[in-house]
């Protein structure tokens, strides 16, 4: 694999998942999944709906146990332990706040027993309420809080016992876009301040890219790639990752000698296929921001002509749809440079793609 | 690959508690529902000595003219009652849900009145009106009230609330957008009714018809009191078992009684499968506009129904306080001096209250715990499926059949639980099991409204599941729990058929005392006893309403926004 190194955490390992599979009756939801998470690391599980993210998270939590494989946490084999004997806090997608207990009651719910005498528990609750900024709402019931406030209560409740591991199952998916963005930075800040090892499940790639130390990309019960956000974005390990993470135009092509790709009459230099045999089928992906247009393309040797098939205004950039010999490409142009390019539908424009920016994978 | 060994999950304390509770539930339902019914089945194929005789009992049943006639009588009386009650209840429910008539709360309350009284009460009231000494005897044009006429009239009264309740629930959830869309398409009212209203109420109609039909076929009290010489299945099985001590033939009749109920149960399941969800999250609740051409006739109908229901109860109350019907109409408490008519006297009512109280207490606890364990414990595997099936079964088992199964099962000399026979405990168990399903469904509905991750959340916080059950689940479900409690109490107070085979000399409930006093010709005392049952139930219902709102304020404050 391209970045085998990234499959291991940078620091000391806190949690390992080895060859874990999970079957529901005849259906296999997880196929031989292995990964490890470093102490204090923030790892995201990213993948389309139904790919097994929640299943993997619940196997780590012990809420639904793995069918086979091994999970160790802080050197302890926890594979078969019931959840109550493990050390984690979890935030559910629905938050699962107890509706008949107020904010303080929810946060302090797990602070009981000899370890938490009344006074100590009360002080801890007050501290957590301050951490998540809900001082004014301590006596309110969940139904009286906004979605974002409920989310903070759930987070505080999960952190109350000072767990070694924090699990978040799509913690932000029930919120609107603006609150999501604010809360995800807050979650990251709290996580960094406490240094708690954290795993977050999400199907929102922007969320995963923006706050994770590393991302685990999953598809159909398998891990496709593990790596830093930049690696996953810049060097996708598979066609699936290339299409799922980030935006790209894609097309089928044939490998030509000397590291070139041919699609119809278009021929492109592509470093990624240098090691593939000539004549092999491949699927190529090109990110819109990597496509050069007009004067910017002139400097590149393999520049070719394309026809503008449509222009989308996206605010800071405009996305240009390009037709080349039956292949569709996308290019992003900063909005303020649009006037200079003189683009219009059906206009012809010079296009170039740097050979090191073409992502290609053997196909079929 | 290295580690492909299968993981053997270690059950935590929570899971062990849930598993244990599930086992107990399975044991309970097996012992007090499945085994007795299985034994009933076995006995139908045996002779009195316990030897296997194949279908001989069934052959004897079919060839005994009196028995076959009783089956036919039961069928047509039930069919006729259903034909009368369901349309009437539909109109009543339609008025409550789809019109703008005034006084809906009043009509709703009156509609439920018959549920609080034993089924014998309307029969007794009808006898006051149309019996041999009846004031309105002339209205029958020489026909006798004792027989099919009386049975059908009393059954209409007794079954009305059941049908009306089901139909008003079915009609309550209408999607207003469908009607707006139809109006925009210039569809006429009648077509709206036949293409939108009726289809959405189909399941309710089938369900109401099934419930009414089954109630009539299996009700014992009314046929006993007002049936005269008219044989029906329910009185026939009583004769076979209590009169002739022919338990095997009793078992056969019991199985025959089971048929319409099981058939109805299957029919209802079928209708349920065809019923699409009426309301989705995005529906707009239908709000009827005022329209005199619809509201005035409906109001008149509701008034007529209310007057009929109230006057029948009123006649029974009045009759119970009259010195000598119809010759001396002075008022008296003499009929309430039950000791003069029946050796048990007032103790019968006390026993009924004790029995209903115990049924309600234990029943509510058992029902709710079992529903909780089923919903939140281990979901897969044969054991939960078995318990789920058993919990839905009592709905299809008439009280008379269950009582019969109990008498056969617990009277069996080999049964180590035989000591229960003739005790209060067996009455309680029988009523509890008999009314199990409706309570179970109420509990399941309440529990399903809770977030499915509560138990996971509490496990992750290392709080034992029973503590979360106590601190979260119970308080949230308290309204449903009270509902179950009252339902069990009220039904245990009024039931005749579930206990007619099972009471002992020291454990005679009030509802049975009513039957006995009526049998002995003391119909005024019988009416008086029926009225005391009604009074107790009415009192509890009022208490429930009063307490309900207090408890609501106290435990449900979190619902307010
Ligand atoms: N209890 C179960 N029984 C049977 N199949 C299940 C069960 N739980 C999950 N699955 C299946 O396992 C697969 C993975 O489910 P999972 O909930 O892990 O997906 P996910 O990646 O979290 O998706 P989403 O983003 O929609 O939450 C799905 O196909 C799902 O249908
Ligand atoms: Mg999920």
């Amino acid at each position: 694999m391209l970045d085998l190194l990234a499959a291991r955490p940078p620091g000391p390992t806190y949690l390992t998942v080895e060859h874990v599979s999970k079957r529901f009756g005849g259906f296999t939801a997880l196929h031989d999944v292995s990964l490890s998470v470093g102490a204090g690391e923030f790892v995201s599980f990213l993948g389309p709906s139904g790919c097994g993210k929640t299943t993997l998270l619940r196997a780590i939590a012990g809420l639904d146990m793995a069918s086979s494989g091994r999970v160790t946490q802080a050197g302890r084999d926890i594979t078969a332990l019931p959840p109550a004997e493990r050390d984690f806090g979890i935030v559910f997608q629905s938050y699962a706040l107890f509706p008949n207990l107020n904010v303080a009651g929810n946060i302090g719910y797990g602070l009981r027993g000899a370890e938490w005498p009344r006074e100590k528990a009360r002080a801890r609750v007050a501290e957590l309420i301050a951490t998540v900024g809900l001082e004014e709402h301590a006596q309110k019931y969940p139904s009286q809080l906004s979605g974002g406030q409920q989310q903070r209560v759930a987070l505080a409740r999960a952190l109350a016992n000072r767990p070694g591991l924090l699990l978040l199952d799509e913690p932000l998916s029930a919120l609107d876009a603006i609150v999501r963005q604010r809360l995800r930075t807050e979650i990251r800040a709290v996580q960094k301040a406490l240094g708690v090892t954290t795993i977050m499940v999400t199907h929102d790639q922007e969320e995963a890219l923006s706050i994770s130390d590393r991302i685990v990309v999953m598809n159909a019960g398998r891990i496709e790639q593990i790596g830093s956000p930049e690696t996953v974005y810049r060097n996708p390990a598979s066609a699936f990752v290339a299409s799922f993470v980030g935006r790209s135009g894609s097309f089928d092509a044939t490998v030509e000698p000397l590291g070139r790709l041919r699609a119809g009459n278009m021929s492109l230099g592509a470093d990624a296929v240098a090691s593939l045999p000539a004549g092999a089928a491949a699927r190529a992906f090109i990110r819109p921001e990597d496509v050069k247009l007009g004067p910017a393309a002139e400097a590149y040797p393999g520049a070719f002509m394309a026809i503008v098939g449509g222009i989308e205004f996206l605010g800071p950039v405009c996305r240009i749809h390009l037709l080349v010999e039956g292949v569709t490409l996308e290019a992003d142009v900063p909005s303020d440079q649009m006037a200079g390019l003189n683009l219009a539908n059906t206009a012809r424009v010079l296009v170039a793609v740097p050979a090191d920016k073409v992502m290609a994978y053997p196909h079929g | 690959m290295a580690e492909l060994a299968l993981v053997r999950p270690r059950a935590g304390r929570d899971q062990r508690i849930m598993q244990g509770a599930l086992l107990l539930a399975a044991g309970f339902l097996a012992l007090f529902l499945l085994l007795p019914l299985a034994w009933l089945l076995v006995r139908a194929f045996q002779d009195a000595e316990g030897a296997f005789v194949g279908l001989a009992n069934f052959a004897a049943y079919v060839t005994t003219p009196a028995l076959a006639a009783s089956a036919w009588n039961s069928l047509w009386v039930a069919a006729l009652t259903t034909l009368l009650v369901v349309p009437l209840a539909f109109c009543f429910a339609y008025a409550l849900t789809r019109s703008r008539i005034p006084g809906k709360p009043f009509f709703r309350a009156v509609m439920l009145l018959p549920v609080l009284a034993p089924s014998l009460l309307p029969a007794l009231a009808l006898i006051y009106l149309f019996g041999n000494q009846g004031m309105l005897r002339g209205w029958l044009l020489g026909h006798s009230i004792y027989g099919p006429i009386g049975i059908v009239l009393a059954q209409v009264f007794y079954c009305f609330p059941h049908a009306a309740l089901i139909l008003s629930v079915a009609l309550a959830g209408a999607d207003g957008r469908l009607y707006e869309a139809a109006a925009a398409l210039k569809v006429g009212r009648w077509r709206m009714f036949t293409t939108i209203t009726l289809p959405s109420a189909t399941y309710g109609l089938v369900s109401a018809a099934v419930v009414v039909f089954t109630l009539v076929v299996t009700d014992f009290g009314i046929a006993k009191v007002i049936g005269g010489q008219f044989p029906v299945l329910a009185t026939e099985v009583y004769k076979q078992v209590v009169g002739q001590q022919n338990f095997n033939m009793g078992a056969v009749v019991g199985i025959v009684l089971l048929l319409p109920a099981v058939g109805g149960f299957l029919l209802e399941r079928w209708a349920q499968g065809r019923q699409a969800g009426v309301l989705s999250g995005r529906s707009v609740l239908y709000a009827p506009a005022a329209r005199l051409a619809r509201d005035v006739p409906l109001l008149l109908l509701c008034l007529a129904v209310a007057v009929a229901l109230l006057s029948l109860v009123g006649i029974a109350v009045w009759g119970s306080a009259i010195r000598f019907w119809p010759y001396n109409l002075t008022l008296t408490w003499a009929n309430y001096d039950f000791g003069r008519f029946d050796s048990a006297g007032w103790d019968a009512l006390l026993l009924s209250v004790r029995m209903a109280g115990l049924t309600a207490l234990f029943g509510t606890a058992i029902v709710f715990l079992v529903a909780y364990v089923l919903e939140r414990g281990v979901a897969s595997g044969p054991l939960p499926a078995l318990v789920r099936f058993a919990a839905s079964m009592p709905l299809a088992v008439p009280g008379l059949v269950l009582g019969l199964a109990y008498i056969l099962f617990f009277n069996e000399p080999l049964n180590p639980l035989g000591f229960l026979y003739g005790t209060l405990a067996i009455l309680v168990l029988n009523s509890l099991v008999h009314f199990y399903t409706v309570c179970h469904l109420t509990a399941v509905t309440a529990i399903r409204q809770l977030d499915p991750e509560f138990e996971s959340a509490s496990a992750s916080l290392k709080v034992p599941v029973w503590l979360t059950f106590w601190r979260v689940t119970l308080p949230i479900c308290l309204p449903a729990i009270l509902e179950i409690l009252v339902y069990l109490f009220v039904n245990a107070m009024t039931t005749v058929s579930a206990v007619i085979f099972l009471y002992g000399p020291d454990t005679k409930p009030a509802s049975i005392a009513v039957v006995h006093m009526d049998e002995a010709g003391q119909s005024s005392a019988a009416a008086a006893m029926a009225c005391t049952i009604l009074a107790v139930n009415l009192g509890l219902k009022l208490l429930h309403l009063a307490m309900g709102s207090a408890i609501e304020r106290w435990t449900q404050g979190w619902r307010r926004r």
Side-chain angles (χ1 to χ4, degrees), chain B residues 278-496:
Chain B
V278 182
L279 283 184
S280 66
R282 282 194 285 159
S283 301
V284 181
L285 220 53
Y286 173 73
R291 192 160 67 80
L292 287 184
R294 175 198 61 203
D295 292 352
V296 171
L298 284 177
L299 180 61
L300 291 178
L301 175 100
C302 286
L303 281 173
V305 168
V307 166
L309 294 183
L310 283 174
S311 52
L312 221 47
V313 173
I315 293 285
V317 174
W318 185 44
S320 76
I322 284 221
R323 199 167 290 283
F324 188 49
W325 186 272
Y327 307 109
N328 181 352
L329 294 182
T330 50
L331 297 180
T332 173
W333 286 113
N335 297 318
Y336 285 82
D337 188 4
F338 297 125
R340 293 196 309 150
F341 311 101
D342 187 287
S343 56
W346 275 91
D347 288 348
L349 187 72
L350 275 186
L351 186 103
S352 266
V353 170
R354 262 169 65 209
M355 178 186 111
L358 289 172
T359 305
L361 281 182
F362 285 103
T364 308
I366 292 174
V367 164
F368 197 79
L369 276 173
V370 171
Y372 179 77
V373 170
L374 273 185
E375 286 301 307
R376 295 304 165 90
V378 193
S380 54
L383 200 59
L386 176 82
V387 174
R388 212 163 273 143
F389 169 74
S392 69
M393 209 161 112
L395 201 59
V397 180
L400 212 55
V401 178
L402 191 65
L404 193 61
Y406 268 42
I407 192 177
L408 296 176
F409 184 66
F410 291 103
N411 221 3
E412 175 64 35
L414 289 178
N415 189 339
L417 289 171
F419 65 89
L420 284 173
Y421 190 70
T423 63
L424 182 61
I426 201 168
L427 295 181
V428 169
L429 282 165
N430 180 266
S431 317
L432 196 169
V433 171
H434 180 210
F435 299 113
Y436 196 95
T437 305
V438 172
C439 303
H440 176 73
L441 295 177
T442 309
V444 165
T445 310
I447 292 168
R448 287 209 178 140
Q449 281 165 1
L450 306 186
D451 193 308
E453 305 284 18
F454 279 170
E455 284 69 25
S456 300
S458 112
S460 80
L461 297 168
K462 308 197 176 24
V463 177
V465 69
W466 52 264
L467 202 65
T468 299
F469 178 79
W470 177 250
R471 285 193 57 190
V472 177
T473 314
L474 270 191
I476 295 179
C477 294
L478 204 58
I481 290 172
L482 283 181
E483 198 77 30
I484 295 173
L485 200 81
V486 171
Y487 176 90
L488 280 174
F489 186 94
V490 164
N491 280 290
M493 278 303 284
T494 58
T495 186
V496 177

Side-chain angles (χ1 to χ4, degrees), chain B residues 161-207:
Chain B
H162 297 273
L165 198 61
I166 292 171
L167 286 167
S168 57
V169 171
L171 286 170
D175 189 345
R177 293 173 310 170
L178 287 180
Y179 292 89
E180 281 165 12
L185 294 170
K186 311 227 180 326
V187 169
R189 289 213 181 81
W190 179 248
R191 259 196 83 200
M192 278 194 209
F193 180 77
T194 53
T195 54
I196 305 175
T197 311
L198 271 187
S200 72
T202 309
Y203 172 64
L205 282 168
V206 171
S207 176

Side-chain angles (χ1 to χ4, degrees), chain A residues 22-25 27-30 46-58 64 93 169-170 201-203 218 221:
Chain A
K22 174 72 185 177
R23 278 173 291 278
F24 293 108
F27 175 77
T28 307
L30 291 177
L46 176 65
S49 188
C51 70
K53 308 179 294 285
T54 300
T55 307
L56 181 54
L57 195 78
R58 290 177 74 90
D64 290 319
Q93 189 167 359
D169 188 359
E170 312 224 5
V201 163
T202 179
H203 59 243
M218 298 180 62

